[in-house]
Amino acid sequence: KVVGTVGSASKVPIILERFPGLKAEQIVVRSSNFEAQLRGALAAVGSEGFHVVLDAVLGDFFKPGFNCLAPGGRYIVYGAASMTPQQDKLDILGWLRLGWQWIRRPWVDPLNLPGVNKSVMGFNLIHCFNNAEQLTQLLQELLQLELAAPKVGHCFDFEDAVEALRTFRGGTTTGKVVLQVGKAE
């Protein structure tokens, strides 16, 4: 049972095409009533709470996701797109906005976690690079899943990395944003 979230309704048909086993009710277009949307999606899949939440956005979407965790659920943060400035250079208002987001960022009281029987953890793949043996094992396990190749939405030459980053952080991409190093011969 899976529920996915997106930032734009234009992404829903793409997800449904890529994963034909999903129904539209399982895809939530994030909005200000996010918790109600999540609860509606949970009802659509016949579940009272999430066992795992993978969050790359954070910000105002953390608390609703955490509230919808089932007892024993795990909330995994692997990004914070909401804290990423959308422009190339920050003026004073941009810095103030970022500071305000920092002050308002989600907090979890560790003393409350045993009472609700939920966990919050962070994940960053970069820590695996210092352990080649573990990384190799993880990649082998991933290959054994025989997953379809991810959709590539945009390709950029390495020299255009800044434009690739602008495209990625714009929130309108579907599929991977790929940087190509060197030219194929």
Side-chain angles (χ1 to χ4, degrees):
K1 298 178 184 177
V2 174
V3 171
T5 70
V6 293
S8 165
S10 65
K11 295 182 179 186
V12 174
I14 295 163
I15 292 171
L16 293 174
E17 179 182 329
R18 174 86 174 168
F19 303 100
L22 292 179
K23 297 177 182 157
E25 299 80 32
Q26 292 175 260
I27 309 297
V28 173
V29 180
R30 292 184 300 270
S31 70
S32 60
N33 62 341
F34 190 50
E35 187 168 339
Q37 291 177 290
L38 292 176
R39 294 207 183 276
L42 283 166
V45 297
S47 180
E48 293 186 20
F50 295 114
H51 298 283
V52 176
V53 171
L54 302 171
D55 186 352
V57 179
L58 211 58
D60 293 336
F61 301 109
F62 172 82
K63 189 173 180 180
F66 184 79
N67 289 346
C68 290
L69 276 179
R74 296 169 185 88
Y75 198 103
I76 303 168
V77 177
Y78 69 100
S82 65
M83 296 291 289
T84 304
Q86 298 302 305
Q87 59 278 11
D88 290 345
K89 294 183 180 180
L90 290 179
D91 59 9
I92 188 67
L93 286 177
W95 282 107
L96 288 171
R97 194 174 303 117
L98 188 58
W100 181 246
Q101 286 177 298
W102 177 258
I103 290 168
R104 291 187 57 241
R105 72 189 186 281
W107 289 93
V108 174
D109 183 349
L111 291 175
N112 290 337
L113 293 175
V116 295
N117 195 26
K118 298 177 182 181
S119 66
V120 177
M121 58 185 76
F123 176 77
N124 189 334
L125 188 61
I126 202 162
H127 294 286
C128 294
F129 291 133
N130 292 328
N131 187 339
E133 185 177 315
Q134 179 188 30
L135 185 58
T136 301
Q137 178 185 348
L138 291 171
L139 289 173
Q140 290 300 322
E141 290 174 15
L142 187 60
L143 289 172
Q144 289 172 2
L145 294 175
E146 297 181 5
L147 300 171
K151 177 185 187 289
V152 175
H154 300 275
C155 281
F156 292 89
D157 291 332
F158 187 75
E159 294 77 24
D160 298 322
V162 172
E163 188 59 32
L165 184 58
R166 286 181 187 131
T167 301
F168 178 72
R169 76 175 179 215
T172 59
T173 60
T174 56
K176 301 296 179 187
V177 176
V178 175
L179 280 180
Q180 295 178 319
V181 180
K183 302 285 183 203
E185 295 184 29

